[in-house]
Amino acid sequence: MKIVIGGAGAVGTHLSKLLSKDHQDCVLIDDDVDQLAGLEGSYDIMTLHGSPTSIQTLKEAGVEHADLFVGVTTDESRNMNACMIAHALGAKKTVARIDNIEYMAPSLKTFFEQIGIDSLIYPEALAALDITNGLKTSWVRQRWDVHDGALVMLGVKLRETCEILNQPLRQLCGPDDPYHIVAIRRGNDTLIPGGNDELHVNDIAYFMTTREYIPYIRQISGKEHYADVKNVIIMGGGKTSVRVAKTAPSYMNLKIIEVDEQRCERLNELLNGNNTMIIHGDGRDLGLLQEEGIRTTQAFVALTGNAETNILACLTAKRLGIRKTVAMVENLDYVEMADSLDIGTIINKKTLAAGHIYQMMLDADVTNVRSLMMVDSDVAEFVAAEGSRVTKKAVKDLGLPFGTTIGGLVRHKQGILVNGNTRIEAGDSVMVFCHEQNLKKLEKYFKAETLW
């Protein structure tokens, strides 16, 4: 597959990294030569110095043969123009990163397709969705729902209160048990667990379960003492904060602390009528936090543009007794450090956007892809085609790639956990955990075949 990416910023570079692991034919374009420096040596891609909106540059990149063109510069207008030009030159699919939530209205989808833009990516909306889902489940580090929660993946940090520590998983996760553990993060290592593996204190365990058993997972994880989130303090009043305020459940009371006075005035305009209070001040000011009721707050969310500030603010909030903390960490170099400091949930817009774009490259029917930074893995929702490999044999006999496990499926809107004897049927939505970039290897199992 040939992919041309316009923009070597955070999203473009991270997407190039994903594609290089898959050995895709990838060309990365940018008009800043410093942005491109060293990328060819680090990743298996070709770089091209030029403007993503230049017809000549796009022709040099071979966009007329591209299966996918991606416009991810920092300028929304350039991205959209580049997509329209790439489409006119012959690119099969295009996707543009945007900054205007108005464009995401479902009623505009056909309009954008008609002008040559197949898909739009608004990273702040993707990040806000992750944050609000996390706030709804205060004791979970990461949550992913399939088909409105018919099947759920929960990433949970295990403490001494967990009831299922130091026991072989074969005794805990049998065919009739209401959950599977599909991955374990232990220190810097990721384990795809077998029956003899055990859970230890400070592991992050990824549970696959169905909606009705979420309270049970909470119980056995020892998290029942975590207070449900009602009061939230958000530090930083950027676009992600606005999207969180607009999408948070109505029972939550939000306070946004913003250091810029003019931005506070704009926030008051944008969030007029929302259950959100705007406070002018510095979210790192302990006196201000205490004045605004930090000790009666259940969640603290740091969304400034500075990763170090967000990390330190979350550490301060934890010291003040806040259990649920969320930090925006845009610099991937800081992600492991933030995790080692145990600051809570880490949000990275570039990996969310790259994962969303990545699913467009797959030939199989993939309706959702979520990158799990902490375990260098993806969770994907594949739909099994009629006559596909996964429908031919029981799961244990499929010979799935190493580092891949099937946690569950949705059949007729009903969530079902999968074991080795499960037979997948055509039309099933299957939730697959893929370690070390196995999605491209896995998709052939879900595509229609004439021969086995």
Side-chain angles (χ1 to χ4, degrees):
M1 179 175 282
K2 183 175 181 66
I3 302 99
V4 179
I5 302 172
V11 176
T13 302
H14 186 69
L15 185 57
S16 299
K17 179 181 178 181
L18 295 179
L19 297 174
S20 69
K21 289 184 177 181
D22 273 348
H23 306 291
Q24 301 292 335
D25 180 5
C26 178
V27 182
L28 180 62
I29 303 171
D30 203 285
D31 50 14
D32 185 346
V33 70
D34 292 333
Q35 291 275 70
L36 299 172
L39 291 179
E40 280 195 14
S42 302
Y43 308 135
D44 183 18
I45 61 171
M46 188 182 98
T47 59
L48 183 60
H49 181 221
S51 171
T53 55
S54 163
I55 294 175
Q56 183 58 39
T57 300
L58 291 176
K59 285 183 175 179
E60 288 180 29
V63 77
E64 67 271 20
H65 303 299
D67 297 283
L68 179 65
F69 176 83
V70 183
V72 283
T73 74
T74 56
D75 188 323
E76 164 185 89
S77 298
R78 290 188 79 196
N79 295 335
M80 297 175 73
N81 287 335
C83 283
M84 288 187 279
I85 297 169
H87 172 79
L89 291 174
K92 293 178 182 176
K93 285 184 181 179
T94 64
V95 55
R97 177 183 179 177
I98 61 166
D99 297 318
N100 188 344
I101 193 65
E102 174 193 1
Y103 296 156
M104 298 299 293
S107 59
L108 294 176
K109 180 174 174 58
T110 301
F111 166 76
F112 284 112
E113 288 175 346
Q114 289 172 344
I115 63 174
I117 305 173
D118 296 296
S119 185
L120 298 170
I121 300 293
Y122 187 52
E124 288 76 13
L126 298 174
L129 180 62
D130 262 21
I131 292 167
T132 53
N133 279 342
L135 293 177
K136 292 174 190 175
T137 320
S138 62
W139 49 279
V140 166
R141 287 288 179 95
Q142 194 161 16
R143 173 172 175 165
W144 195 60
D145 290 52
V146 176
H147 289 265
D148 296 323
L151 206 60
V152 183
M153 186 199 70
L154 305 171
V156 183
K157 182 86 170 190
L158 305 181
R159 307 295 187 183
E160 291 82 355
T161 52
C162 178
E163 298 177 6
I164 55 174
L165 298 175
N166 308 314
Q167 304 172 57
L169 292 182
R170 66 176 181 274
Q171 297 177 11
L172 302 172
C173 309
D176 299 322
D177 287 301
Y179 67 91
H180 290 163
I181 294 174
V182 294
I184 301 169
R185 173 72 171 183
R186 181 170 298 154
N188 294 324
D189 298 324
T190 296
L191 306 178
I192 305 299
N196 294 323
D197 288 305
E198 300 178 351
L199 297 173
H200 298 163
V201 171
N202 294 325
D203 284 351
I204 298 179
Y206 289 84
F207 293 82
M208 200 74 78
T209 189
T210 52
R211 179 170 38 209
E212 63 268 30
Y213 287 105
I214 292 176
Y216 177 69
I217 302 299
R218 183 176 188 171
Q219 174 194 326
I220 63 174
S221 300
K223 301 289 184 177
E224 290 184 305
H225 59 291
Y226 274 60
D228 291 331
V229 173
K230 183 178 180 183
N231 300 315
V232 183
I233 290 179
I234 300 176
M235 184 175 77
K239 293 177 181 178
T240 305
S241 301
V242 172
R243 297 313 311 159
V244 171
K246 285 182 174 290
T247 56
S250 59
Y251 62 82
M252 288 186 186
N253 303 307
L254 275 65
K255 294 180 179 179
I256 297 178
I257 301 176
E258 169 56 46
V259 71
D260 185 278
E261 187 172 359
Q262 288 187 336
R263 181 61 182 170
C264 286
E265 293 176 3
R266 178 60 176 154
L267 289 170
N268 276 316
E269 295 173 10
L270 291 170
L271 299 175
N272 184 29
N274 280 73
N275 194 23
T276 304
M277 180 184 294
I278 310 302
I279 299 159
H280 177 226
D282 189 336
R284 297 169 295 183
D285 184 337
L286 289 178
L288 176 63
L289 291 176
Q290 290 170 342
E291 184 180 324
E292 294 302 331
I294 188 74
R295 296 192 184 279
T296 58
T297 296
Q298 293 81 42
F300 181 86
V301 184
L303 301 177
T304 76
N306 187 289
E308 297 98 318
T309 297
N310 294 339
I311 292 169
L312 290 172
C314 284
L315 288 173
T316 300
K318 278 194 169 290
R319 194 178 67 174
L320 293 172
I322 305 300
R323 288 190 180 275
K324 181 70 175 181
T325 57
V326 181
M328 181 80 78
V329 181
E330 284 300 279
N331 188 335
L332 285 173
D333 294 334
Y334 290 161
V335 168
E336 280 199 17
M337 178 189 73
D339 183 49
S340 68
L341 292 171
D342 201 18
I343 65 166
T345 300
I346 298 167
I347 298 292
N348 184 279
K349 290 184 292 186
K350 73 182 75 168
T351 59
L352 292 171
H356 193 85
I357 295 167
Y358 188 79
Q359 78 181 56
M360 296 183 67
M361 300 162 38
L362 302 174
D363 295 328
D365 189 351
V366 186
T367 56
N368 211 341
V369 174
R370 181 62 51 88
S371 293
L372 307 177
M373 289 182 298
M374 292 299 95
V375 286
D376 190 21
S377 305
D378 299 307
V379 181
E381 180 188 349
F382 283 90
V383 178
E386 188 75 43
S388 59
R389 290 190 186 187
V390 290
T391 63
K392 303 288 186 179
K393 298 180 179 180
V395 167
K396 68 179 188 309
D397 299 320
L398 289 174
L400 296 173
F402 179 77
T404 299
T405 183
I406 295 177
L409 59 85
V410 178
R411 180 180 297 159
H412 307 307
K413 298 183 180 181
Q414 180 69 38
I416 301 171
L417 294 179
V418 169
N419 59 59
N421 296 318
T422 301
R423 295 293 295 256
I424 295 170
E425 298 178 4
D428 287 348
S429 291
V430 185
M431 190 183 269
V432 185
F433 184 93
C434 306
H435 185 46
E436 298 289 353
Q437 304 300 326
N438 276 320
L439 284 183
K440 286 298 288 184
K441 296 178 184 177
L442 189 65
E443 66 171 336
K444 62 185 178 183
Y445 288 83
F446 290 86
K447 292 166 59 178
E449 283 194 338
T450 54
L451 294 174
W452 168 233

